[in-house]
Amino acid sequence: MNNIGRNSFDIGYMDTLAGGDSYLHRLDPRAKLITAFLFIVAVVSFGRYAVFALIPFLVYPAVMISLGGLPYGYLLKKVLVVSPFAIVIGIFNPLMDREIVMQIGGIGISGGWISFASILLRFVLTVSAALIVIALTGFNTVCLALTKLGVPRPFVVQLMFFYRYLFVLTDEAERMVRARSLRTFDAGAMRFKTFVPLIGHLLLRTLDRAERIYLAMRCRGFDGRIPMIRSLRIHFREVAFVTGWAVLFTVLRCYNIPLLLGSLVTEAFR
Amino acid sequence: MHMADALISPAVGGTMWTATAGLIAYSARKVKAAADDRAVPLMGVLGAFIFAAQMINFSIPATGSSGHLGGGMILAILLGPYAAFLVMASVLVVQALFFADGGLLALGCNIFNLGFFPCFLAYPLIYKKIAGGAPTQRSVMAGSLIAAIAALQLGAFGVALETVFSGISDLPFRTFVLLMQPIHLAIGVVEGLVTAAVVTFVWKARPEILNAAEGFGRIGSVDMKKVLWGLAAVAVIAGGALSWFASSNPDGLEWAMFKTSGKEELESRDGVHATAAVVQERTALLPDYGFRKSEAAPGADAGQPWPAVDPGTSVSGLVGGALTLLLAVLIGLGLRRRKSAA
Amino acid sequence: MSHHIVEAQDLHYTYPDGTRGLSGVSFRISHGESVALVGENGAGKSTLLLHLNGYLAATRGTVRIGDYPLTSKNLHAVRRAVGMVFQNSDDQLFMPTVFDDVAFGPLNLGLSEVEVELRVAQSLETVGAGHLRKRPPYKLSQGEKRSVAIATVLAMSPDILVMDEPTASLDPMSRSRLIELLKTFRHTKIIATHDLDMAADLCERTIVLHQGKVTADGPTIELFRDEGLLHRSSLEKPLRMQKCPVCSSRAD
């Protein structure tokens, strides 16, 4: 499998996860989206040197992954694989900010390293929150939630089309790339001269396909609106879910639990 | 280049979200008003095309590195600015959700950086001016190249501004810009060449497509004044509201000032914000300010950092942190066990 | 029930780039008939099919569906009457789930939700795909996709079914299941195909197209015996009408 195949396989797998049937899967997608958003805002609202205060937030992904029956290892790998920008930018912090602000067993730790650790921790938290939403909900249901949350319909509808044809087109792209690599003997990326007609043909085929899809839609009475039967309802459990997490995030935001806990323990041993 | 949640503050994320949401609503209205049935399926499928095309790499001669298509410019040329902006936004939404490229809060920034600049600035102001009327191979080439470079330069500048305003990274603004702009000049040249070559390819194979796109793009004669005024209004309102919120929230203070000035912490200590700091200290037992670095200029006596290093705090932090981590893991495992037992 | 009639009179069609698509095609298909449309690649089969639901407008000549000539005014009614199954099911299944896809047509007809639910259930049941209703189309096999594509058309309750290569890219089992399914339909059927065995199974009548013209129109079995005709159209006798290479006995 080449890179393209792996990526679309990945998306497909996330969708399979979303097909699960747990309490969290059944929850109204709006509740999950809003909670994830609150979580992310709470996490990023911490100051740049916050490290310990962020640790308790790990409870959110831990609970969601466990209750949703999602595979820890897979999600963790996904989080680790996708971090170039944050790390590249974050790594400058230890270089720029070298003042020692903490001593552990005689080793001085600079502010830069702490803020770098903070960036990495933020990264893990925010990324896993996003991945969890999609793995528990599925893309199309997220789209549905978006319409219900007031996102303009043309945008959501084309988003759904995009998702539908993403698999078809990555497949097509993969076949073209494979066909090319089977007939070349240098392992590297393709040359610009090959790349342009390949992409060009893919684009032409895409435009033709769009035309055929449009035709298929017209044949079934399409007149500019995409009708769908779906109902979403907010029950008590959705309200409880969002409120519960919101309260917890607020508490974790205001009280530095690890420090509290730590000073309790160290006091006890003193 | 994607912005990441880990690097932005809620104020920056929120402002960019508001701006982006406004642009999406506005563009969606425009697309709807154009009332071309074909638009929506075509947009969706082209989004999928860009997504697939972005995964195909080609080698850049003499550098040993490889590049791929970004797509904003091609979309704008094929669909006109409004539809293209929506499609670009969708591509980024999918990347944020599935590949965690960027993240949810940073999505606003990313859509703005990679969608607004090519679709609403580079396309109408550069590409259309050069290759708008009667496209020739030369004008398409020149237009795509210059427009793509400009779009990426602006986008990179956007990333730098957003990062610095967020104050999470220590990178000084100037260093960051000096780092970002040349890299993105190279990326822009490559993007421009690819865009030009693919557009020319399509144009040669099937001229009617670009002509049709031209007609389709008529939805797209951007009313720049309206867009810019709208954006300015959004920025002022959202920025104002959020910075008010931010200044009542001590952690957001950095946002208001340039990180590079290196003064904000001191000022926040003795200025009007002292009260806020007190509130902060009350609400958060041993707040993260405990780790704040000294405000002494770099090079000054680093042996006397402020606040004084307190081994006690560090140790209790470490112990507590480890305990909490353990607790989170245990909660997760416990829930899982109960679930599989059920 | 005269509205099941399909009639083409002297159809001519030239593509915008000057390629000749059809040059004088005429036929009349009456109610309940099952007709195979065969011919070499590029003979004009797909072009002809696209005229039957008004997607392409003939440069010259007319198409009549039922009692009306096809014009832009009655396009809506015609598209309701003529259900079209495309060669590539991926183009036809554009909604997020099988249910949404099958419901798309009925909802556009303005039916009530209850009625839509019923129609979706019935059409999926007919093609044996009831269990797929919640699945996204990209997770279906080719055979499943084809069945669902047919269900999307059935849900519109058309009078005439037009199919482009329905058996292409199906495995042998799915193919014969599809043929059995199609046999149960009472609609007027027009099937463009290279699969002459299927044509022999399903269609009592065959129209042979060659370079945009009708070169033969008659009972399927008779035409398939005419080796010269088949050869001229880049076709071969259906396997069942060939000498068996293994047991050397004739099967027909």
Side-chain angles (χ1 to χ4, degrees):
Chain A
M1 215 179 337
N2 59 30
N3 194 19
I4 306 172
R6 258 197 309 277
N7 281 337
S8 66
F9 176 79
D10 232 24
I11 297 181
Y13 182 62
M14 292 286 274
D15 238 29
T16 313
L17 292 179
D21 188 34
S22 71
Y23 161 74
L24 291 178
H25 282 93
R26 285 189 296 271
L27 217 56
D28 186 293
R30 282 171 289 184
K32 287 179 264 186
L33 266 183
I34 291 168
T35 310
F37 212 81
L38 292 177
F39 174 79
I40 292 172
V41 169
V43 166
V44 300
S45 71
F46 275 94
R48 47 207 295 262
Y49 294 102
V51 176
F52 297 130
L54 283 173
I55 292 177
F57 280 89
L58 282 168
V59 82
Y60 170 74
V63 167
M64 297 294 277
I65 291 175
S66 296
L67 280 185
L70 302 175
Y72 267 108
Y74 175 76
L75 290 177
L76 193 67
K77 213 165 67 196
K78 260 186 101 71
V79 171
L80 294 181
V81 163
V82 286
S83 50
F85 186 58
I87 290 181
V88 164
I89 297 304
I91 199 69
F92 283 98
N93 282 11
L95 297 177
M96 311 298 298
D97 177 1
R98 294 202 189 157
E99 266 156 79
I100 308 293
V101 295
M102 193 172 158
Q103 297 274 355
I104 298 167
I107 302 169
I109 295 181
S110 69
W113 281 111
I114 291 179
S115 57
F116 180 55
S118 177
I119 288 178
L120 293 191
L121 195 54
R122 276 158 210 269
F123 187 79
V124 170
L125 289 169
T126 51
V127 164
S128 52
L131 290 177
I132 285 167
V133 170
I134 202 75
L136 285 176
T137 316
F139 191 76
N140 290 316
T141 318
V142 168
C143 284
L144 190 64
L146 290 181
T147 2
K148 300 273 175 181
L149 289 170
V151 177
R153 237 179 122 70
F155 178 66
V156 179
V157 170
Q158 64 88 33
L159 196 56
M160 282 159 88
F161 268 93
F162 168 31
Y163 190 68
R164 166 68 184 94
Y165 285 99
L166 185 153
F167 297 95
V168 177
L169 281 175
T170 43
D171 222 43
E172 208 160 314
E174 190 193 359
R175 271 180 277 141
M176 290 172 93
V177 170
R178 196 193 302 134
R180 174 254 164 203
S181 63
L182 288 177
R183 282 183 289 152
T184 39
F185 302 97
D186 50 340
M190 73 183 73
R191 281 192 221 149
F192 191 72
K193 247 167 85 185
T194 328
F195 175 78
V196 167
L198 192 140
I199 292 280
H201 277 296
L202 186 62
L203 178 56
L204 288 178
R205 274 152 69 166
T206 307
L207 293 167
D208 283 344
R209 185 184 290 280
E211 193 60 28
R212 292 197 304 269
I213 294 166
Y214 175 68
L215 167 63
M217 294 170 73
R218 287 304 292 257
C219 283
R220 284 192 276 147
F222 173 67
D223 61 356
R225 285 171 309 113
I226 306 271
M228 266 168 82
I229 305 181
R230 270 315 158 66
S231 56
L232 284 182
R233 238 171 252 136
I234 299 280
H235 297 98
F236 172 71
R237 59 176 191 192
E238 275 82 19
V239 178
F241 179 82
V242 176
T243 334
W245 281 117
V247 168
L248 182 68
F249 297 155
T250 316
V251 170
L252 294 182
R253 178 66 190 81
C254 293
Y255 296 95
N256 190 334
I257 307 286
L259 269 189
L260 264 172
L261 206 67
S263 36
L264 271 180
V265 173
T266 42
E267 283 302 314
F269 281 98
R270 203 160 273 181
Chain B
M1 180 77 72
H2 286 57
M3 266 312 270
D5 276 359
L7 296 176
I8 63 170
S9 67
V12 171
T15 309
M16 299 313 285
W17 254 97
T18 322
T20 302
L23 282 173
I24 287 182
Y26 182 64
S27 304
R29 245 209 354 256
K30 283 280 181 181
V31 168
K32 206 170 172 183
D36 187 333
D37 288 356
R38 275 161 221 258
V40 167
L42 179 64
M43 284 159 71
V45 182
L46 275 177
F49 161 76
I50 293 296
F51 189 84
Q54 283 182 345
M55 295 180 198
I56 304 176
N57 289 316
F58 60 89
S59 59
I60 301 171
T63 59
S65 58
S66 68
H68 66 78
L69 183 66
M73 236 15 246
I74 284 198
L75 285 174
I77 293 170
L78 288 174
L79 290 170
Y82 299 106
F85 180 75
L86 294 181
V87 174
M88 209 53 212
S90 326
V91 172
L92 291 163
V93 165
V94 168
Q95 285 174 343
L97 285 174
F98 286 94
F99 301 124
D101 265 348
L104 292 184
L105 189 63
L107 194 54
C109 299
N110 285 325
I111 294 176
F112 197 87
N113 297 343
L114 296 170
F116 174 77
F117 293 123
C119 299
F120 288 108
L121 291 181
Y123 173 73
L125 299 182
I126 299 174
Y127 182 84
K128 283 278 268 208
K129 293 267 171 339
I130 297 177
T136 60
Q137 189 166 349
R138 258 239 189 90
S139 68
V140 167
M141 186 56 134
S144 320
L145 193 64
I146 301 173
I149 292 174
L152 273 148
Q153 286 296 302
L154 289 167
F157 195 66
V159 170
L161 277 181
E162 288 150 14
T163 308
V164 167
F165 273 122
S166 295
I168 306 291
S169 161
D170 265 322
L171 216 53
F173 183 66
R174 207 141 51 121
T175 322
F176 199 12
V177 167
L178 286 178
L179 209 75
M180 290 288 278
Q181 303 307 124
I183 296 177
H184 282 80
L185 181 63
I187 298 179
V189 169
V190 171
E191 172 79 7
L193 288 175
V194 174
T195 305
V198 173
V199 169
T200 326
F201 180 89
V202 171
W203 183 49
K204 272 188 188 151
R206 302 249 291 275
E208 77 277 5
I209 287 175
L210 282 198
N211 300 341
E214 205 44 44
F216 192 71
R218 233 173 274 140
I219 332 167
S221 43
V222 181
D223 188 351
M224 275 314 294
K225 243 190 217 153
K226 237 169 155 179
V227 170
L228 286 179
W229 276 117
L231 268 181
V234 166
V236 168
I237 294 167
L242 284 164
S243 60
W244 174 79
F245 167 77
S247 50
S248 67
N249 169 359
D251 287 319
L253 278 176
E254 297 103 320
W255 182 75
M257 290 154 251
F258 273 95
K259 190 67 216 94
T260 36
S261 74
K263 278 188 181 156
E264 72 275 37
E265 265 105 342
L266 258 189
E267 279 168 6
S268 73
R269 280 273 149 189
D270 32 60
V272 259
H273 304 303
T275 10
V278 173
V279 173
Q280 154 85 6
E281 268 166 19
R282 290 236 177 96
T283 50
L285 236 142
L286 298 174
D288 51 272
Y289 276 96
F291 294 127
R292 280 281 147 88
K293 63 172 176 173
S294 148
E295 288 314 318
D301 189 7
Q304 300 283 326
W306 178 94
V309 174
D310 173 5
T313 315
S314 311
V315 170
S316 54
L318 274 183
V319 171
L323 275 176
T324 329
L325 186 63
L326 195 69
L327 215 64
V329 170
L330 282 179
I331 290 177
L333 289 180
L335 284 173
R336 164 142 302 185
R337 180 139 324 149
R338 223 194 56 191
K339 201 181 151 60
S340 52
Chain C
M1 295 258 269
S2 53
H3 53 284
H4 292 201
I5 290 169
V6 181
E7 190 174 4
Q9 281 167 342
D10 194 31
L11 283 186
H12 287 260
Y13 184 76
T14 312
Y15 280 96
D17 64 352
T19 317
R20 275 283 188 85
L22 301 174
S23 16
V25 171
S26 303
F27 56 81
R28 180 187 163 90
I29 295 169
S30 49
H31 171 63
E33 257 190 304
S34 219
V35 180
L37 197 59
V38 303
E40 77 278 1
N41 289 334
K45 301 188 295 293
S46 299
T47 312
L48 178 55
L49 294 191
L50 290 179
H51 279 79
L52 300 184
N53 61 7
Y55 179 69
L56 294 181
T59 332
R60 212 169 85 206
T62 49
V63 174
R64 295 173 79 90
I65 305 289
D67 300 326
Y68 323 96
L70 206 167
T71 61
S72 54
K73 272 187 208 129
N74 58 18
L75 209 56
H76 204 71
V78 165
R79 284 187 175 154
R80 255 199 88 165
V82 180
M84 181 134 177
V85 179
F86 287 76
Q87 181 169 359
N88 186 337
S89 306
D90 271 320
D91 296 340
Q92 190 151 18
L93 306 176
F94 44 78
M95 294 291 278
T97 67
V98 167
F99 176 88
D100 291 327
D101 224 311
V102 182
F104 181 85
L107 283 172
N108 277 328
L109 294 179
L111 302 179
S112 72
E113 288 196 12
V114 185
E115 176 82 357
V116 170
E117 292 263 0
L118 190 73
R119 281 214 186 180
V120 172
Q122 277 173 350
S123 338
L124 284 176
E125 220 41 65
T126 310
V127 301
H131 59 291
L132 301 175
R133 56 181 281 145
K134 282 191 173 166
R135 296 267 289 279
Y138 57 86
K139 290 215 170 141
L140 305 179
S141 70
Q142 282 299 333
E144 288 170 336
K145 277 185 196 165
R146 194 61 49 87
S147 305
V148 174
I150 292 173
T152 63
V153 170
L154 290 182
M156 304 278 290
S157 52
D159 304 313
I160 300 156
L161 278 181
V162 175
M163 304 195 193
D164 198 354
E165 294 286 3
T167 53
S169 68
L170 294 187
D171 58 47
M173 201 75 110
S174 313
R175 174 182 169 276
S176 44
R177 222 177 288 137
L178 177 70
I179 293 174
E180 287 311 309
L181 175 69
L182 294 180
K183 272 186 189 165
T184 62
F185 291 172
R186 293 293 163 86
H187 309 78
T188 302
K189 292 190 277 284
I190 303 172
I191 305 175
T193 188
H194 292 308
D195 181 351
L196 299 196
D197 278 281
M198 175 194 64
D201 257 342
L202 279 175
C203 308
E204 62 276 14
R205 175 177 163 197
T206 293
I207 296 174
V208 182
L209 278 184
H210 180 57
Q211 292 179 348
K213 289 195 186 73
V214 175
T215 48
D217 180 353
T220 303
I221 301 300
E222 262 173 49
L223 294 190
F224 288 178
R225 286 212 179 96
D226 184 346
E227 297 210 20
L229 171 73
L230 292 180
H231 188 77
R232 279 195 300 279
S233 299
S234 307
L235 297 167
E236 280 181 342
K237 261 190 183 180
L239 286 174
R240 71 175 59 175
M241 292 169 72
Q242 292 177 20
K243 213 183 212 170
C244 173
V246 180
C247 52
S248 300
S249 65
R250 288 186 71 93
D252 64 333

